[in-house]
Amino acid sequence: MSLCFSLNVSTLNSPKYHSHKAHFSSQFINQIQVNSLSHSLPSFTLNSSLPFKFSVKRINPIRASTATSVEATQFSFRNKNPKDINIAVVGSTGYIGKFVVKELINRGFNVIAVAREKSGIKGKNSKEETLNQLQGANVCFSDVTKLETLEKSLNGFGVSVDVVVSCLASRTGGVKDSWKIDYEATKNSLVAGKKNGAKHFVLLSAICVQKPLLEFQRAKLKFEAELIREAEMDSGFTYSIVRPTAFFKSLGGQVELVKDGKPYVMFGDGNLCACKPISEEDLASFIADCVLSEDKINQILPIGGPGKALTPLEQGEILFRLLGKKPNFLKVPIGIMDFAIGVLDFLVKIFPSMEDAAEFGKIGRYYAAESMLVLDPDTGEYSAERTPSYGEDTLEEFFEKVLREGMAGQELGEQAIF
């Protein structure tokens, strides 16, 4: 079932795809810290006989494209004014997705926000809460995992789609969930978008796919390859693949613990995994740039935040300085995680149902050891110099905010592994 909400009835009837880093490790770290110290309508044609009630007072009207049919949109949508460009956003209620929707609306685009009927962490948000969260967008309740449903939902608006922006990501990183969301659902968004006229696809991917050792990375790469191939076969279709580094929230799991006097936990010597973290607002702005910027057409775009790359050791030093405390680090051998993964891999052979648990262990190990920077193809090493910077928000400013206000709104939710 798909439910689409838009204010302008006459318009409806007009012609017509980030950092799991602390997701494992910050939760795992929390346990270490505690232990060491104590001892995350069908798109519908209005029918007065339907007994359905809904609120539309927050929703802006979607404008029909200048073209009267999908076939007539062969000219570049980039020649239009933002108010005449229709952008479908899938994954619109996710951590980054909701900021992308807000940024696109602020830039004057017409946004079709595709959302689940039960959105948010563990599906806790109702339709009314989702409408509140996505104010200014034309909200479409649909199911991205079902192609036919998604196609009908988009088609039901009666207007062509110019651009699809995918912010979809597996909720857990589990094996089946990764292929269901990072590949299949994202591909459904491409197929449904193109059938409704989309000429450009902006994909939120992840920088870690450069060294694919995990299922969600392989799933993302498979879709990336098919997206690139689609553009090669269709000269009128383009893409932008955005590969961000670590998100701020993935590095904030220890702030309140350190504030309470606990040590800052690092794996190895604290220099194993560097990154140029980027805020959700800055990343949303970069993604929005990809809609019209011709220099981002048919490009894979790694992107980090401003400033130098930071190791966990340097992140901890920033935090202690802000707190005015003497640095107190707890260094955990990476071999502990290797041992746990070995045990889980053995148990999976006996109990196949533990497949995801083993995968979660590998995710944690990956982000505890691998840098979130561009991998230099010449040296095989991660390169801070090759990792582009964007935006203004810094990790230090984020830490300051968390120290004042806590981690509200930055919960790991279903992506928290332990």
Side-chain angles (χ1 to χ4, degrees):
M1 182 177 185
S2 61
L3 303 174
C4 297
F5 295 76
S6 185
L7 181 64
N8 193 323
V9 175
S10 63
T11 300
L12 283 174
N13 292 313
S14 67
K16 300 221 344 168
Y17 205 124
H18 100 11
S19 145
H20 245 294
K21 176 164 185 174
H23 300 172
F24 176 97
S25 58
S26 70
Q27 298 296 322
F28 179 68
I29 283 168
N30 293 352
Q31 297 299 317
I32 295 173
Q33 288 172 317
V34 171
N35 293 338
S36 67
L37 293 177
S38 64
H39 137 125
S40 178
L41 259 141
S43 193
F44 62 98
T45 300
L46 289 182
N47 185 331
S48 60
S49 66
L50 292 177
F52 187 83
K53 297 180 180 180
F54 60 92
S55 172
V56 295
K57 60 185 177 181
R58 301 178 187 82
I59 308 305
N60 289 340
I62 186 169
R63 295 173 172 82
S65 175
T66 304
T68 57
S69 68
V70 172
E71 291 74 15
T73 61
Q74 296 300 320
F75 67 90
S76 176
F77 65 88
R78 295 179 180 87
N79 296 324
K80 303 178 187 178
N81 291 319
K83 65 183 180 65
D84 296 317
I85 298 175
N86 300 325
I87 303 177
V89 180
V90 292
S92 62
T93 59
Y95 175 60
I96 299 300
K98 57 180 177 284
F99 287 94
V100 170
V101 168
K102 180 179 179 181
E103 180 68 21
L104 292 171
I105 291 170
N106 288 342
R107 295 193 186 195
F109 295 107
N110 292 317
V111 178
I112 302 170
V114 181
R116 293 175 292 161
E117 293 191 8
K118 293 287 187 179
S119 68
I121 297 173
K122 297 183 179 178
K124 68 179 181 180
N125 293 342
S126 66
K127 293 175 187 174
E128 182 65 23
E129 289 170 324
T130 298
L131 290 171
N132 280 329
Q133 185 182 77
L134 301 175
Q135 289 186 49
N138 300 274
V139 179
C140 183
F141 293 100
S142 190
D143 187 347
V144 293
T145 67
K146 297 177 180 178
L147 177 58
E148 184 178 358
T149 299
L150 182 58
E151 287 178 349
K152 288 181 178 178
S153 298
L154 293 178
N155 187 63
F157 274 101
V159 298
S160 63
V161 172
D162 295 296
V163 181
V164 175
V165 177
S166 174
C167 297
L168 292 171
S170 165
R171 303 181 191 95
T172 65
V175 176
K176 291 182 175 62
D177 194 48
S178 292
W179 286 100
K180 182 178 181 180
I181 304 300
D182 291 299
Y183 174 68
E184 293 177 10
T186 312
K187 184 174 181 178
N188 288 345
S189 303
L190 170 62
V191 173
K194 286 204 71 179
K195 283 190 176 181
N196 281 274
K199 296 300 178 185
H200 188 56
F201 193 101
V202 182
L203 173 67
L204 174 59
S205 185
I207 203 166
C208 63
V209 300
Q210 301 172 109
K211 187 184 285 190
L213 303 178
L214 307 168
E215 286 302 312
F216 82 87
Q217 296 166 337
R218 297 184 186 103
K220 286 181 180 294
L221 278 177
K222 182 174 175 61
F223 177 74
E224 283 189 13
E226 294 187 10
L227 178 62
I228 293 170
R229 190 157 53 246
E230 190 71 25
E232 290 173 344
M233 294 187 297
D234 181 354
S235 61
F237 178 78
T238 58
Y239 65 86
S240 298
I241 296 173
V242 181
R243 292 179 175 176
T245 62
F247 301 153
F248 282 179
K249 81 168 182 178
S250 68
L251 305 178
Q254 298 193 69
V255 176
E256 293 181 347
L257 293 167
V258 171
K259 182 179 179 181
D260 292 339
K262 297 178 176 62
Y264 189 94
V265 177
M266 305 178 300
F267 291 96
D269 61 0
N271 293 301
L272 285 176
C273 48
C275 64
K276 285 187 176 182
I278 187 167
S279 72
E280 55 269 31
E281 290 94 345
D282 283 342
L283 179 55
S285 177
F286 185 82
I287 290 172
D289 289 348
C290 292
V291 171
L292 295 179
S293 296
E294 295 193 5
D295 63 346
K296 295 178 175 59
I297 291 174
N298 294 347
Q299 298 289 323
I300 292 177
L301 304 161
I303 195 68
K308 67 185 293 288
L310 299 171
T311 64
L313 178 63
E314 291 169 321
Q315 296 163 28
E317 289 172 343
I318 291 172
L319 185 52
F320 284 114
R321 175 165 51 78
L322 291 174
L323 287 166
K325 293 184 177 183
K326 180 180 178 180
N328 178 21
F329 293 101
L330 177 61
K331 298 180 179 180
V332 179
I334 196 72
I336 288 179
M337 301 182 78
D338 292 331
F339 174 78
I341 292 168
V343 171
L344 289 168
D345 280 342
F346 172 76
L347 291 174
V348 168
K349 296 176 183 178
I350 305 172
F351 307 105
S353 62
M354 295 187 66
E355 178 183 53
D356 278 355
E359 186 69 11
F360 298 156
K362 293 171 185 175
I363 291 171
R365 172 63 169 80
Y366 188 100
Y367 285 100
E370 303 290 339
S371 291
M372 296 297 105
L373 300 169
V374 168
L375 194 62
D376 188 327
D378 298 325
T379 66
E381 302 292 331
Y382 292 107
S383 171
E385 291 72 25
R386 286 176 174 260
T387 306
S389 296
Y390 181 91
E392 299 179 355
D393 300 335
T394 66
L395 183 64
E396 182 168 341
E397 292 169 341
F398 172 74
F399 281 168
E400 289 176 331
K401 181 179 179 180
V402 174
L403 288 172
R404 292 192 310 268
E405 305 173 10
M407 285 286 286
Q410 301 286 338
E411 297 85 2
L412 297 179
E414 290 174 276
Q415 294 177 330
I417 295 173
F418 291 116

